[in-house]
Structure formats: structure tokens, C-alpha cells
Amino acid sequence: MYRSLATLRKASAARALSAPLADAVGPRLFPEAVLEGVRQRNAYLDWLFYDVGSLTDAEARDVSPWLAAEGAILIVPPSGVQPLTRCASINAFIDAGGTSIRTIVVAGVGSSALGSAALARNVADAMDAPVAAVVSGYGLADVAAEALGGFFWFGGINSVRHSFEWLDRLRESGLIADPSTSGAAIVTSPTTQSKDTRTVQALLAHPALSFDLLVGHSKGNLVLSEALFTLEQADGARTRELGDRLRIVTLSAKITMPRAFRLVVDVLGQFDGFGTFNSRAAIPTDVVVPNAGHHTNTELPWHLPVASVLRELRERGVL
């Protein structure tokens, strides 16, 4: 049996025991029940796209209640060092040692905390240091965008997601409950951006934090791009400071970044049709990984070996 499948089963069982619909009553029950079914499906997508076998059983159980915690932060150390840490706010992240962390990781597709942690573990193993993973999550806006093709064509239709984010703001305001993300808000100022984008932007803008590497996979690259463009509009001085030193690695989708950020490495699998379809054609591919597709699960054939790719970039002095 694949270890990754066993890890997925542990996470799914722990998610069920956490009673994610316990606080959803009356008119709130139906949308939460719909979302819970989608989130459980996305946990299986996490297995398909990410190296969930790199997580311990205890870590899988620990993140299971946070499958839907979009915008939450995980501190993920290299394999065998110590368990990952869940942070419900930037202050909690700082208190947990976030000031020493230099890398932000954002997974894509329909990823939950499980997929986010798995991708971050691969990056942490390559960098030999803990990294911060921002959970992509999945909300009503994503369901609406997916129904219009946004799940498969995020490169061209991502704006559709934002047009439906009023649904998630209703849930955040308490009109529609979201028990799995209760107390996990990172940024409270009104904005049309999704929580994951707002969290990345807030981390990069925080004066107590200092990052020098961003790693995204698939739709996670779009989250990074939106966060950087918003930061550029809000704080030009901070953007110029970060632009001089921040390195960005995009995995499996080439997305436009602000001009201030010149140290970008775009990585694409040789047989990654999904990533190619969602990439900007004008952006050259810096690294083509032979015999690799879109997924990063090392137990499946044609995977993109994230840790190996990043280690090679470190050896070349790129990272």
C-alpha cells in the first residue's frame, strides 16, 4: 500500500471525528454540508497532487480539522526534526518562531492544509530549514468559480473567483458559519482578495518578518502574484526592498510577477499539459524537468520531484 494513501485515510478519519458540521444549524447547514463534501474530495486531490506520504500520521491527524482553514499558516520543519505547528494568526506565527523563517510556500489546485503541509515538507527538506505554508483552503467562491471552469483554467478565469467572494464574506460575518476556520482570521480589513492572498501579503509587509524565498505550485503561483501586485500598490518602498533580494520559484505554472521581482525561476514538467495550459506563453521556462507531469507525489509515476529540483537549484547557486 502507498504510504500516502494511509496518511490520507488517517487525515480523513480525524477530520470526521472533529465534527466539522457540529456548529452548522438551520439555514447554515446546507452550504456547509456542500462545502464539506468538496473539501473531502479535495483531500483526495491533495493525495494525487502532493507528497502527503512525507507527513507523519500524527501530523496528518493534526492538520485534519484545518482542511478548510484558508489563510492559516503552518510552520513545517524538515522531515524527522519536529512536528509541524499550526498558527491561527500572524501574531501566533511570530510567537512560534516565525521571525527566523525565510521561506513562504503556497500550494495550488484545490489544496487543503494537508496538501499545503506536504508541499512545504518537500521545500523544507530541500532548504534544510523550516518554512511557512499558507493554506489555500476552499470556500463558496471557489465552488462558484469551479462551476464556470476556474478549477481547470485558473490562468485565465481567476477573476471569476473574486466576483463570488461576497459569499465567503457572508460566512466570515457569521451569517453562514464556517466552524473549521473559527478564530483563524489573519487580516480583518475589508478587501476583495481571498484569505490566502491577504495572508501572504500581510506576511511580506510585516516589519518583524523577513523572507527571501517564495515557492508556489500550480494555482499557488497565482496567489503569490496577486499578493505581490497588491503589495506593490500599497507599499512601493517595501516592494523595492523585497525586489532586491526575494527569490521566487514557480512550480507547474508560469505566472506574471511585478517587475520589481526579477529573481524568478519558472519550473515546468516535460509532460505537464495542465501547467502549460495555465501558464503565460510569453514567459520562458527556466527549468524543464524530464519525464514529469503536474503532480508532486513521489509515490506516483511522472511526478515533479520538488525537493530534488530545489536542491539542484541550491547547488547551482540560484537559491
Side-chain angles (χ1 to χ4, degrees):
M1 180 194 301
Y2 292 127
R3 167 163 174 74
S4 55
L5 275 177
T7 304
L8 172 63
R9 288 170 183 167
K10 293 285 191 346
S12 297
R15 174 71 175 176
L17 291 174
S18 71
L21 298 179
D23 295 330
V25 295
R28 302 173 178 177
L29 181 59
F30 177 72
E32 289 304 322
V34 170
L35 280 177
E36 185 57 26
V38 174
R39 288 162 182 160
Q40 290 286 357
R41 178 210 65 179
N42 284 0
Y44 281 92
L45 288 177
D46 282 343
W47 167 79
L48 176 62
F49 285 106
Y50 296 107
D51 198 19
V52 298
S54 65
L55 303 176
T56 66
D57 291 345
E59 288 173 326
R61 288 190 292 266
D62 193 37
V63 301
S64 61
W66 283 34
L67 290 185
E70 181 182 7
I73 307 167
L74 305 174
I75 297 177
V76 183
S79 299
V81 175
Q82 61 188 35
L84 59 80
T85 303
R86 303 180 302 175
C87 304
S89 68
I90 288 183
N91 286 338
F93 174 71
I94 292 174
D95 291 342
T99 55
S100 65
I101 291 177
R102 298 291 179 261
T103 301
I104 297 176
V105 179
V106 185
V109 193
S111 62
S112 69
L114 187 66
S116 300
L119 178 64
R121 173 56 49 76
N122 287 165
V123 177
D125 286 344
M127 302 306 295
D128 295 321
V131 304
V134 175
V135 179
S136 299
Y138 203 85
L140 292 171
D142 299 272
V143 173
E146 181 176 322
L148 295 175
F151 186 87
F152 295 101
W153 189 24
F154 64 81
I157 203 171
N158 187 66
S159 59
V160 173
R161 180 192 187 196
H162 297 314
S163 68
F164 287 105
E165 283 175 350
W166 59 273
L167 293 170
D168 288 315
R169 288 195 291 275
L170 284 178
R171 291 171 56 238
E172 293 170 24
S173 68
L175 297 178
I176 304 176
D178 189 352
S180 60
T181 60
S182 179
I186 303 294
V187 181
T188 57
S189 59
T191 178
T192 58
Q193 291 180 322
S194 54
K195 280 186 179 180
D196 45 11
T197 301
R198 283 160 25 207
T199 300
V200 173
Q201 178 194 351
L203 287 169
L204 292 172
H206 201 290
L209 301 174
S210 180
F211 299 97
D212 54 30
L213 176 62
L214 304 181
V215 180
H217 175 260
S218 190
K219 195 172 181 179
N221 298 325
L222 195 57
V223 172
L224 295 178
S225 174
E226 290 183 346
L228 292 173
F229 273 111
T230 305
L231 180 65
E232 182 180 49
Q233 295 174 356
D235 191 341
R238 180 69 167 177
T239 299
R240 288 189 293 273
E241 175 197 344
L242 288 172
D244 290 336
R245 60 180 170 82
L246 192 65
R247 296 156 299 165
I248 303 171
V249 178
T250 72
L251 303 170
S252 304
K254 298 175 293 183
I255 303 295
T256 302
M257 301 293 171
R259 290 185 178 180
F261 300 93
R262 301 176 298 277
L263 306 176
V264 182
V265 180
D266 295 292
V267 179
L268 200 63
Q270 180 183 6
F271 303 126
D272 186 357
F274 185 91
T276 301
F277 183 69
N278 283 287
S279 292
R280 300 294 186 266
I283 300 175
T285 303
D286 299 302
V287 178
V288 177
V289 183
N291 302 318
H294 196 73
H295 71 278
T296 67
N297 187 339
T298 58
E299 293 184 339
L300 300 178
W302 315 107
H303 66 271
L304 181 74
V306 174
S308 297
V309 169
L310 295 181
R311 285 194 188 103
E312 183 177 343
L313 290 175
R314 286 189 69 188
E315 293 172 358
R316 290 166 46 191
V318 177
L319 300 184

